[in-house]
Amino acid sequence: MPAYSAPDNTQLAYHVFGDGPPLVCLPGGPMQSADYLGELGGLSAHRRLIMLDPRGTGGSAVPEDPASYRCDRLVDDVDALRVHLGLERMDLLGHSSGVNLAALYVARHRERVGRLALITPSVWAVGIPIPGEVRRETVRPRHDEPWFPAAYAALEAITEGRADADAWQAITPFSYGRWDEKAQAYEAAGEAQRNDDAAGVFAGEGAFDPEATRTALGRFERPVLLLAGEVDPGAPPVVVAEFAGLFPDAEVVVQPGAGHFPWRDDSERFVAAMTAFLA
């Protein structure tokens, strides 16, 4: 696995799939290795995917300073990867909580980014609230699923501030368009790929300045795609549309029937949307 040195000399690893123009991909988690992204449903047939393992995950080393797991500190890791790849400007993709890092990177280095793809985005970095009723409304079309009553009750408890530890596990099926054996195995593998200690630092105090980030994104004039899953309560389409409004040139694609991992729910539809945008 190829690697490079971060500015603090931490050795960071990345995966490479496919040929063609490079697309640098930032995984979510937060602080999860890029393994769960796979080849993004076959997008590697169209682009050379450069998938970063964030520090402390996957093939990347654990840093000496645990505070360096904070999202704003990770921006330097991304720019060091760009330099390592010899790119003056790079197309950038972020998924879920990795979108926060992508947003902070754009805010700091907008001249270094070409096209920007934000997949089922987390909105911490831009401070957009997600009302509990919006999350509940997003998942109600799934009321006929056999697991729905327990998952919905857990979601209600979470959004009303009365959740216990089991509630977060109970809502997991909402992240997938199909909660079958393959999705359950995928979820279990993802848990093992995440550095929970690092995740606890990622969004710590000082990581985000939403007002400044929103202002900076308003000056990013390159094309932006925000892709939402139709039934994803983690990034409801109405909230993703609000996020898109922060950019001068952004489009929103809502993938029908998709949850938080749209390349798994319908790889052909996902790849078609991505290739149309990245062409």
Side-chain angles (χ1 to χ4, degrees), residues 116 220 222-226 241 243-252 277:
L116 177 65
F220 181 67
R222 303 288 297 174
V224 182
L225 171 71
L226 294 95
F243 197 162
L246 301 177
F247 297 95
D249 182 13
E251 62 176 298
V252 176
F277 169 70

Side-chain angles (χ1 to χ4, degrees), residues 37-59:
L37 294 174
E39 298 187 29
L40 286 174
L43 186 58
S44 56
H46 306 273
R47 299 294 296 258
R48 180 161 57 100
L49 306 181
I50 310 294
M51 298 184 159
L52 177 64
D53 278 348
R55 53 180 54 218
T57 75

Side-chain angles (χ1 to χ4, degrees), residues 117-121 225-229 232 235 240 251-255 258-259 261-263 269-271 273-274:
L118 307 177
I119 311 304
T120 57
L225 171 71
L226 294 95
L227 192 146
D232 176 19
V240 174
E251 62 176 298
V252 176
V253 170
V254 178
Q255 185 169 312
F261 307 93
W263 63 90
R269 189 183 292 270
F270 175 81
V271 170
M274 293 301 303

Side-chain angles (χ1 to χ4, degrees), residues 104-241:
L104 295 191
Y105 185 85
V106 170
R108 197 179 301 176
H109 299 292
R110 68 179 184 275
E111 74 283 358
R112 301 300 188 193
V113 179
R115 290 177 177 266
L116 177 65
L118 307 177
I119 311 304
T120 57
S122 166
V123 293
W124 298 334
V126 293
I128 297 174
I130 307 179
E133 178 55 27
V134 169
R135 296 190 194 272
R136 297 192 294 271
E137 184 177 305
T138 301
V139 302
R140 283 186 189 124
R142 308 189 71 179
H143 61 86
D144 289 334
E145 300 278 1
W147 45 262
F148 180 87
Y152 189 78
L155 182 61
E156 285 188 308
I158 290 169
T159 57
E160 294 171 4
R162 51 181 180 82
D164 58 23
D166 293 336
W168 293 99
Q169 185 64 34
I171 66 169
T172 301
F174 286 134
S175 293
Y176 297 87
R178 295 180 300 279
W179 184 237
D180 53 18
E181 290 185 0
K182 289 183 178 180
Q184 293 168 37
Y186 180 80
E187 175 68 20
E191 291 178 2
Q193 296 160 5
R194 186 169 54 248
N195 182 332
D196 289 334
D197 290 337
V201 178
F202 180 83
E205 184 178 356
F208 304 123
D209 182 345
E211 184 175 353
T213 301
R214 290 194 298 267
T215 298
L217 296 183
R219 296 195 291 264
F220 181 67
E221 297 182 347
R222 303 288 297 174
V224 182
L225 171 71
L226 294 95
L227 192 146
E230 181 185 24
V231 292
D232 176 19
V238 65
V239 173
V240 174

